[in-house]
Amino acid sequence: MDIKNLANTLHPLERKVIVVLDKFNSFDDILEETKLKDIEVMRALQWLANKELVKIDEEVKERVSLDKNGKFYVKEGGLPEKRFLKIINEKEKIKLSEVKFATLDKNEKNACLGILKKKAAISILKGGELSITAHGKRMLDKESPEEQFLKGDFPVEVGSLKDLDKLAYDNLKKRKSILKTEIVKLRTVTLTSLGRDLLKDLGDAGDVIDVLTPKMIKDGSWKKKQFRGYDIKINVPSVFGGKRHFVNQSIDYIKRIWLDLGFKEMEGNMVQSSFWDLDSLFVPQDHPAREMQDTFYLKNPKQGKLPSFFKKIKDVHENGGDTGSKGWQSVWSEERAKELLLRTHTTVLSAQTINKLKKEDLPAKFFSVGKVFRNETLDWKHLFEFYQVEGIVVDPDANLKNLKGYLREFFGKMGYPDVRMRPAHFPYTEPSVEVDVYHPVKKEWVEFGGAGIFRPEVTKPLIGVETPVLAWGLGMPRIISGYFKITDIRDLYKNDLKQMREMKAWIK
Amino acid sequence: MPTITLNKNVFEKLVGKKLPLNKLRDRISYLGTDLESIEGNNITVEIFPNRPDFLSEQGFARAFSSFIGIKTGLKEYKVDKSGEKVVIDKSVAKVRPFTACAIVKGLKFDDEKIKEIIQIQEKLHITYGRNRKKVAIGVYPFEKIKPPIKYMAKKPNEIKFRPLEFPKEITGQQILSQHPAGREYGSLLEGKEKFPVFIDDNDQILSMPPIINSHEVGKIMQGTKDVFIECSGFDFNVLSKCLNIIVCALSDMGGKVYSMNLEYPDGKYTTPDLKPEEMKVDLEYVNKILGLELEEPSLKRCLEKMGYGYKNKKVLVPAYRVDILHQIDLVEDIAIAYGYENFKEEIPHVATVGEESALGKFVNKISDILVGLELLETNTYHLMGREELNDKMCIDWSPIKLENAPVDYNCLRNWMIPSLMKVLEENRHHDYPQKIFEIGTVFKKDIKEETNVKEFERLAVLSSHSKVNYTEVKQILDYLMKGLDLDYEIDETEHDSFIPGRVGRVSVNGVEVAYMGEIHPKVLEKWGLDMPVSGFELNISELFRILNKK
């Protein structure tokens, strides 16, 4: 950048500072001269240094100034021992208790006494009275090095003190609150040669526009001037707008995929009876998934009501009903079916949805993205509530190849183009499928959920006709945590405002 | 899910072929099991609950060998008559009514075989046997038993024998409190007047199912050749199947299977019955479900790969299979034999119309409006502690409680503001202002519902910073309502979570839909917040209903 342009980018603060630099070099002087605030000068100097217009040298120094008592003695006209001596000098002899003046307290009195005795300025008579010595009288006539030192200019650098001043400093330092020394950083600012050149050519600040005001636009005064150029690479403070929770952003996208594929959204309750969540899906009543360590049951209310067609489900469990199945061949309990729980999977919504279908509604496709609940202890890979992506295709012509087709389409849009199926087992699907996707970051196959075709024992009693229903239930945390670079899935729902404010948006 | 550990050498011998590791890995997972690990000589496989017949080394190797094409087709098991009987007394009817029994001879137990039979027994107990409740299995050295055997129930104090690995004889009652197995499974006999026992003709007690065998006559040792096996429980069919699984595995181990006559009070039965069951298979149905065009020979080949026989369009289902309830179960096995990896993906050209939930769309609209006001959306749990819902809000409304959740999340939230207060509590160290919102589900008892619980969508908005006040949140509500084209009214009200005189009840068309105000400092104190908070909670389900009526 040439000097002209460089001059043009100067911020008003930089301008105010740089013009005094040919005469003043210390920070304090610059402060004084420019009448700017401490922080403004600091910032301006830093910017100038970044542009290599100035060089800032820092030196650490010990600086001494008057403390509380020191200031007071200067104001009162001298050190207390001098006044003490004057009082003694006025009488031939005097008792210690008679020596008094304002602000001379007991400690100070003793200190003065000590100093004067040491310098042989007074003598103590037999009766305890004090009287001045000849030496003392001479002392009254001339100033001590300490007094001279105190009359000097403050603050002053300790390093610059010489001879008597140094001696006086050392003595006074030992006394209470007369002097204070502090460590200071002294900044010396010098113009670089670039800086000196720039200063030569620096025009009048009045010719440069810093802030474009409505007035300038109206009166056209900007036309005769130049705009100050900014340091456009400057770091600016962060702003955080409002936004959707990042998990919800991804849910929205997932919903859109299914909508685009012609699926209708399913809705339903989180509190469900065992009947809908398990029995209607042909999960036997003694299945381990029903146990307390896996499923959250409600305490009060404890039970719900059964729908009027419950007998069909009972028959299917006990003897297969009219499905051609043997059923589980054990007694089915209504009471167990009435127990309320928090849905363990959104497949319960699929069961309720197909139950409402009529033959003429087919083919039909449905999806949902909803919370499910598992009795898990929270840790980095387990949550007690999380989202599940559910889908069903109710189509008399659907088959296992289609199941793979729909899943591949979905995962492809989620960023996982490779999908494979492996055999699995779920009580309500046959064939049952474990869905693996190839994870492009982990470079391995990862289980992303279960799928299959609903068993006739599920579809016949719920729909009334036997028709293939392709179904899947995919755990959402695994699908989305890679995108957000989350490894501890608790972080999906920790609602940390900093994390949420800074989290990248779902861009797909 | 249960796992079994296979001895690689034994397994390979049973299978009849050695496979390279990666092939082994691949084939195990495509058979319908999950390979956990291969470490040294141990192969650990996870078995799905529909295949208890895989829970023995023999059973799994049998299926695997067939699946990879070594020994395919139905394996026939011969059963000879032992002529021995088990007499079932009517006294067991009330406690553990059924048993199915068999004798297997010529096994010559060594350490490896003892380990195997213990594994079969244990794994079946845990899974198919539902921790011995549904099925308890006993295996005894037949040489030490004098038939006929009686299965009967006796008073606990009249039962006296030395239980397995116990120093002395104790009574049935003492077993429940003193023996480790008694303590673990005692609940299965709790409150029963009589406990079941197997007794031989010398009046020796063989065991007290489902708890423990006798140490003297119920322990398999090195050198034991012949064994008596019984399964006891509540469903004769289930017990017979379980017995079949065990005797088929023992037969594969080299034993000869003998049947026993069971004399029940109401009739006589013979177990085990290892004749395969016939089931019809409809080729067209198979092809339709799988989207394949198999012909009969390939159907036959597929079925044989899975251990079935196929004759005259009928499938012969092995006696150890417990999971074949319907023709669809055969379809899955055919798919496994065909290879899940060989199915090509296909999306059919079927026109259906996509449709988003109307309430979901409404929720999204509201969220978009609020985001425009620079509010940040949170996503919190539905489960909370009673302390957070009530005590920390200075109110006392009873939320719905869960039976079995830890105390800090054993309630279903009945309003949204506590969820957001919790967010503020956890973010005290972050920059202010903090303006947050969430639309979430809340739960209330309602006997009109099928579940006796009604679920609502509610919106909570909270703003927290040093200058927040009622005006700010009212501006938010104003802006939102304007966006929804709804007029609302505010009435003075009281609510213990809010500052008196600074809380309003909001209604639309005369229906109360929201509370709005400044949160009371006594509430802030309980949450440990030293920044003021204002906000409102709005019933979105109700608003949605009102809008749809308009």
Side-chain angles (χ1 to χ4, degrees):
Chain A
M1 203 187 289
D2 68 26
I3 289 200
K4 225 37 248 143
N5 284 340
L6 199 54
N8 192 30
T9 68
L10 291 187
H11 187 272
L13 289 178
E14 291 175 286
R15 218 168 231 288
K16 282 185 185 161
V17 169
I18 201 167
V19 294
V20 305
L21 290 183
D22 54 345
K23 295 193 191 82
F24 302 96
N25 297 109
S26 84
F27 189 78
D28 291 341
D29 291 346
I30 299 167
L31 213 54
E32 167 107 26
E33 197 61 26
T34 56
K35 311 270 186 259
L36 291 171
K37 290 187 195 132
D38 206 306
I39 180 86
E40 292 170 328
V41 174
M42 284 285 292
R43 273 161 62 195
L45 286 173
Q46 199 53 57
W47 296 333
L48 291 169
N50 290 346
K51 292 173 188 162
E52 295 178 351
L53 294 169
V54 302
K55 195 164 147 286
I56 303 171
D57 293 305
E58 272 189 3
E59 210 180 337
V60 178
K61 296 231 161 117
E62 224 182 342
R63 201 158 67 167
V64 61
S65 53
L66 292 176
D67 203 353
K68 193 176 71 197
N69 288 347
K71 285 182 190 151
F72 180 73
Y73 299 151
V74 170
K75 204 173 110 206
E76 292 291 304
L79 289 166
E81 63 266 27
K82 198 66 167 269
R83 301 179 65 190
F84 194 106
L85 195 59
K86 273 184 189 154
I87 293 171
I88 296 173
N89 189 37
E90 280 158 18
K91 306 257 172 71
E92 199 170 321
K93 57 184 181 183
I94 187 167
K95 280 185 184 154
L96 182 59
S97 58
E98 285 166 17
V99 182
K100 49 183 145 188
F101 52 90
T103 75
L104 187 76
D105 65 15
K106 199 178 165 216
N107 286 336
E108 238 173 349
K109 210 180 218 182
N110 287 335
C112 291
L113 198 62
I115 293 164
L116 294 172
K117 256 168 71 183
K118 202 173 159 199
K119 294 195 170 169
I122 54 170
S123 58
I124 302 171
L125 302 178
K126 270 196 181 145
E129 297 98 338
L130 310 172
S131 98
I132 192 161
T133 62
H135 181 60
K137 287 193 193 268
R138 278 200 296 282
M139 272 176 66
L140 276 179
D141 296 335
K142 94 173 196 227
E143 276 189 333
S144 69
E146 286 84 2
E147 283 168 306
Q148 283 176 9
F149 179 69
L150 285 178
K151 278 187 175 168
D153 286 336
F154 290 99
V156 60
E157 274 170 43
V158 175
S160 69
L161 297 177
K162 287 202 185 77
D163 310 330
L164 283 177
D165 275 349
K166 176 84 174 98
L167 187 75
Y169 165 73
D170 286 340
N171 285 335
L172 288 172
K173 202 169 64 172
K174 289 175 203 151
R175 295 178 58 179
K176 201 181 147 203
S177 304
I178 294 181
L179 298 177
K180 61 180 171 203
T181 10
E182 53 193 347
I183 306 290
V184 289
K185 280 185 193 160
L186 288 182
R187 289 187 198 81
T188 325
V189 185
T190 44
L191 285 166
T192 60
S193 63
L194 184 65
R196 275 193 298 276
D197 292 346
L198 181 130
L199 202 53
K200 270 183 237 154
D201 282 344
L202 197 61
D204 183 2
D207 296 337
V208 177
I209 297 176
D210 189 50
V211 180
L212 180 64
T213 62
K215 184 173 169 288
M216 292 177 193
I217 302 172
K218 236 185 253 169
D219 64 18
S221 59
W222 60 273
K223 288 176 186 160
K224 286 165 237 142
K225 295 179 183 177
Q226 242 194 326
F227 285 93
R228 176 175 73 81
Y230 291 151
D231 174 6
I232 50 164
K233 290 183 182 167
I234 195 164
N235 288 327
V236 297
S238 308
V239 289
F240 301 107
K243 65 167 123 160
R244 302 293 308 269
H245 191 277
F246 58 95
V247 170
N248 294 358
Q249 294 178 34
S250 63
I251 290 177
D252 248 19
Y253 176 74
I254 290 169
K255 285 186 180 179
R256 217 161 43 243
I257 295 176
W258 295 119
L259 291 168
D260 289 351
L261 288 170
F263 284 66
K264 283 190 166 72
E265 188 171 0
M266 300 186 277
E267 291 171 290
N269 289 340
M270 296 189 199
V271 173
Q272 294 283 355
S273 60
S274 298
F275 176 84
W276 278 114
D277 192 80
L278 301 160
D279 295 288
S280 78
L281 290 162
F282 201 53
V283 178
Q285 287 200 325
D286 65 352
H287 194 276
R290 294 197 180 231
E291 282 170 24
M292 298 278 255
Q293 62 259 36
D294 291 311
T295 303
F296 285 126
Y297 287 92
L298 268 66
K299 189 173 193 156
N300 181 23
K302 202 176 179 56
Q303 289 193 325
K305 303 162 194 107
L306 296 183
S308 54
F309 76 100
F310 81 89
K311 189 107 193 340
K312 280 190 185 170
I313 302 295
K314 179 180 165 74
D315 287 347
V316 158
H317 277 252
E318 291 186 342
N319 54 45
D322 60 357
T323 63
S325 165
K326 293 182 196 168
W328 295 117
Q329 295 180 32
S330 55
V331 180
W332 185 85
S333 148
E334 274 178 50
E335 291 308 302
R336 286 220 71 177
K338 284 182 191 164
E339 286 173 3
L340 293 175
L341 45 75
L342 292 179
R343 67 184 181 207
T344 57
H345 48 190
T346 40
T347 317
V348 63
L349 303 182
S350 299
Q352 289 170 338
T353 302
I354 60 173
N355 184 232
K356 285 184 218 126
L357 281 180
K358 294 183 205 74
K359 215 178 159 190
E360 56 270 28
D361 297 332
L362 307 187
K365 302 188 290 205
F366 299 92
F367 80 97
S368 85
V369 184
K371 276 268 178 93
V372 299
F373 300 81
R374 304 276 166 89
N375 193 353
E376 301 265 17
T377 309
L378 267 184
D379 64 32
W380 68 278
K381 58 177 193 174
H382 294 101
L383 296 168
F384 57 77
E385 47 173 288
F386 59 90
Y387 287 97
Q388 196 168 35
V389 179
E390 187 78 23
I392 47 171
V393 175
V394 193
D395 175 1
D397 294 323
N399 62 46
L400 194 61
K401 287 177 169 172
N402 303 151
L403 177 66
K404 192 175 178 190
Y406 284 114
L407 290 169
R408 214 215 77 92
E409 192 64 27
F410 170 69
F411 281 117
K413 288 176 193 286
M414 292 303 293
Y416 304 99
D418 294 320
V419 175
R420 73 172 185 192
M421 303 195 296
R422 276 185 302 120
H425 168 72
F426 308 105
Y428 38 92
T429 50
E430 195 82 6
S432 297
V433 173
E434 193 76 66
V435 185
D436 295 345
V437 304
Y438 191 75
H439 202 287
V441 179
K442 293 184 182 160
K443 303 249 180 284
E444 60 183 12
W445 292 95
V446 183
E447 282 178 23
F448 265 26
I453 301 177
F454 277 162
R455 297 185 65 99
E457 292 94 327
V458 174
T459 52
K460 188 84 193 288
L462 290 177
I463 312 178
V465 290
E466 200 190 319
T467 176
V469 176
L470 312 179
W472 50 88
L474 316 166
M476 216 185 68
R478 277 196 188 180
I479 304 177
I480 62 166
S481 49
Y483 178 84
F484 293 116
K485 298 194 169 59
I486 279 172
T487 48
D488 181 335
I489 63 169
R490 283 171 296 191
D491 290 354
L492 290 172
Y493 309 111
K494 73 174 173 183
N495 291 300
D496 179 273
L497 293 187
K498 184 170 186 295
Q499 173 216 32
M500 285 153 59
R501 282 166 174 161
E502 291 173 0
M503 184 60 85
K504 66 172 168 174
W506 180 272
I507 309 162
K508 269 195 204 304
Chain B
M1 264 192 247
T3 58
I4 56 160
T5 303
L6 310 165
N7 177 317
K8 194 154 167 273
N9 298 338
V10 175
F11 178 70
E12 278 167 352
K13 218 168 121 197
L14 285 167
V15 170
K17 190 177 181 178
K18 262 178 118 152
L19 288 183
L21 222 55
N22 57 345
K23 187 85 183 155
L24 186 66
R25 214 179 273 277
D26 177 73
R27 289 297 86 195
I28 286 177
S29 64
Y30 278 99
L31 171 60
T33 47
D34 241 348
L35 179 71
E36 288 256 299
S37 65
I38 301 181
E39 277 164 23
N41 208 30
N42 287 337
I43 308 172
T44 305
V45 182
E46 192 184 293
I47 306 296
F48 299 144
N50 59 329
R51 295 301 300 266
D53 56 305
F54 281 180
L55 290 169
S56 70
E57 224 154 355
Q58 290 69 28
F60 186 68
R62 183 198 305 137
F64 190 79
S65 174
S66 183
F67 181 59
I68 62 169
I70 307 294
K71 300 173 197 159
T72 64
L74 182 75
K75 185 164 182 180
E76 292 192 35
Y77 290 93
K78 214 170 126 234
V79 183
D80 289 325
K81 284 182 186 145
S82 72
E84 307 293 358
K85 67 178 180 184
V86 179
V87 181
I88 293 97
D89 188 81
K90 62 180 190 309
S91 57
V92 293
K94 275 187 192 161
V95 38
R96 203 169 175 84
F98 297 105
T99 182
C101 309
I103 294 166
V104 179
K105 293 184 178 174
L107 279 163
K108 293 198 210 95
F109 276 93
D110 55 17
D111 281 350
E112 179 64 34
K113 280 185 183 164
I114 292 176
K115 228 168 73 189
E116 285 170 25
I117 183 105
I118 289 174
Q119 167 160 286
I120 301 176
Q121 205 178 341
E122 272 183 4
K123 300 293 175 179
L124 283 171
H125 271 155
I126 297 168
T127 55
Y128 193 58
R130 302 286 192 262
N131 283 321
R132 305 194 187 186
K133 189 176 172 211
K134 200 171 166 183
V135 187
I137 304 156
V139 184
Y140 313 80
F142 187 59
E143 295 101 328
K144 293 192 180 169
I145 296 170
K146 188 175 175 220
I149 296 163
K150 271 184 298 204
Y151 180 47
M152 62 189 300
K154 291 174 93 170
K155 288 199 173 128
N157 287 326
E158 289 166 12
I159 300 170
K160 206 163 186 205
F161 67 102
R162 182 183 167 197
L164 218 50
E165 312 301 337
F166 203 75
K168 58 176 200 280
E169 275 196 358
I170 44 175
T171 67
Q173 196 62 49
Q174 286 168 323
I175 288 175
L176 296 200
S177 59
Q178 294 178 21
H179 195 277
R183 286 198 290 267
E184 194 170 349
Y185 300 102
S187 61
L188 296 174
L189 289 180
E190 217 162 72
K192 302 285 183 200
E193 209 176 296
K194 291 177 172 179
F195 291 176
V197 284
F198 282 93
I199 304 179
D200 78 351
D201 207 38
N202 285 336
D203 267 347
Q204 297 182 100
I205 292 180
L206 311 182
S207 71
M208 183 173 90
I211 313 293
I212 192 77
N213 278 14
S214 148
H215 191 80
E216 320 292 351
V217 286
K219 188 180 177 186
I220 306 293
M221 289 189 287
Q222 272 198 38
T224 299
K225 278 218 281 280
D226 305 338
V227 291
F228 161 64
I229 303 152
E230 50 79 14
C231 299
S232 67
F234 299 86
D235 182 322
F236 187 68
N237 193 34
V238 167
L239 300 173
S240 305
K241 285 284 188 191
C242 189
L243 184 69
N244 290 353
I245 290 172
I246 300 166
V247 297
C248 288
L250 293 181
S251 169
D252 289 351
M253 222 184 259
K256 256 174 84 75
V257 182
Y258 291 86
S259 67
M260 293 184 90
N261 299 317
L262 309 178
E263 292 185 8
Y264 277 90
D266 68 344
K268 294 182 180 176
Y269 305 86
T270 302
T271 55
D273 178 3
L274 299 182
K275 275 199 306 294
E277 197 182 328
E278 282 188 2
M279 197 176 226
K280 273 209 322 218
V281 64
D282 176 359
L283 182 57
E284 202 187 319
Y285 178 75
V286 173
N287 281 331
K288 187 172 165 308
I289 298 280
L290 299 181
L292 299 176
E293 286 165 357
L294 298 178
E295 312 241 340
E296 205 172 349
S298 18
L299 176 77
K300 182 169 187 279
R301 244 191 337 270
C302 282
L303 284 164
E304 284 174 350
K305 254 177 106 171
M306 300 307 286
Y308 297 97
Y310 181 79
K311 237 187 217 163
N312 308 327
K313 305 203 184 296
K314 280 191 178 145
V315 179
L316 300 172
V317 180
Y320 52 78
R321 290 296 295 264
V322 302
D323 59 323
I324 309 299
L325 306 181
H326 187 279
Q327 200 191 160
I328 195 72
D329 295 300
L330 300 175
V331 175
E332 179 178 76
D333 271 359
I334 293 162
I336 292 173
Y338 180 81
Y340 271 39
E341 69 277 30
N342 297 323
F343 284 87
K344 300 268 174 292
E345 66 245 30
E346 220 169 65
I347 288 199
H349 298 284
V350 181
T352 54
V353 179
E355 191 182 315
E356 195 177 354
S357 125
L359 179 62
K361 267 196 281 195
F362 183 57
V363 163
N364 270 347
K365 275 275 152 5
I366 292 174
S367 303
D368 288 345
I369 291 172
L370 295 170
V371 163
L373 290 174
E374 302 201 343
L375 271 77
L376 199 56
E377 186 186 34
T378 60
N379 190 332
T380 57
Y381 295 122
H382 297 83
L383 301 183
M384 294 186 84
R386 195 190 163 91
E387 196 200 348
E388 294 162 341
L389 291 168
N390 272 354
D391 308 353
K392 286 169 104 169
M393 297 307 300
C394 299
I395 51 149
D396 190 16
W397 300 338
S398 6
I400 295 169
K401 275 186 87 171
L402 295 180
E403 186 76 67
N404 54 333
V407 65
D408 41 331
Y409 50 94
N410 68 349
C411 294
L412 291 169
R413 68 178 170 207
N414 48 0
W415 59 318
M416 282 301 294
I417 286 183
S419 288
L420 295 203
M421 289 299 287
K422 193 175 177 173
V423 173
L424 294 179
E425 180 190 36
E426 284 165 1
N427 282 282
R428 280 172 298 191
H429 55 294
H430 287 320
D431 294 347
Y432 285 87
Q434 298 184 353
K435 300 179 185 186
I436 53 178
F437 79 97
E438 181 172 341
I439 298 168
T441 307
V442 304
F443 304 80
K444 296 246 161 98
K445 271 182 221 170
D446 185 346
I447 53 161
K448 289 201 290 287
E449 298 291 312
E450 192 176 284
T451 54
N452 293 324
V453 174
K454 192 163 174 71
E455 300 180 15
F456 304 85
E457 293 305 298
R458 292 267 198 91
L459 159 70
V461 168
L462 289 184
S463 177
S464 179
H465 53 93
S466 59
K467 296 200 177 81
V468 77
N469 56 23
Y470 183 82
T471 306
E472 182 183 322
V473 289
K474 186 164 184 290
Q475 285 172 323
I476 297 173
L477 188 68
D478 273 344
Y479 180 74
L480 177 62
M481 290 301 206
K482 236 172 248 154
L484 300 175
D485 194 21
L486 288 172
D487 294 324
Y488 69 93
E489 280 162 25
I490 303 180
D491 292 308
E492 278 174 19
T493 187
E494 277 171 28
H495 188 304
D496 287 338
S497 303
F498 295 90
I499 298 174
R502 299 184 181 187
V503 51
R505 195 77 169 105
V506 178
S507 43
V508 173
N509 295 353
V511 184
E512 292 177 340
V513 292
Y515 276 108
M516 172 165 65
E518 292 181 16
I519 302 290
H520 202 290
K522 71 187 176 192
V523 173
L524 301 179
E525 216 166 60
K526 295 202 174 192
W527 288 94
L529 292 169
D530 42 22
M531 204 58 98
V533 178
S534 291
F536 63 82
E537 172 150 345
L538 178 63
N539 190 333
I540 297 298
S541 300
E542 196 59 54
L543 224 51
F544 182 64
R545 212 177 51 79
I546 293 169
L547 271 171
N548 282 337
K549 273 204 303 199
K550 254 172 85 168

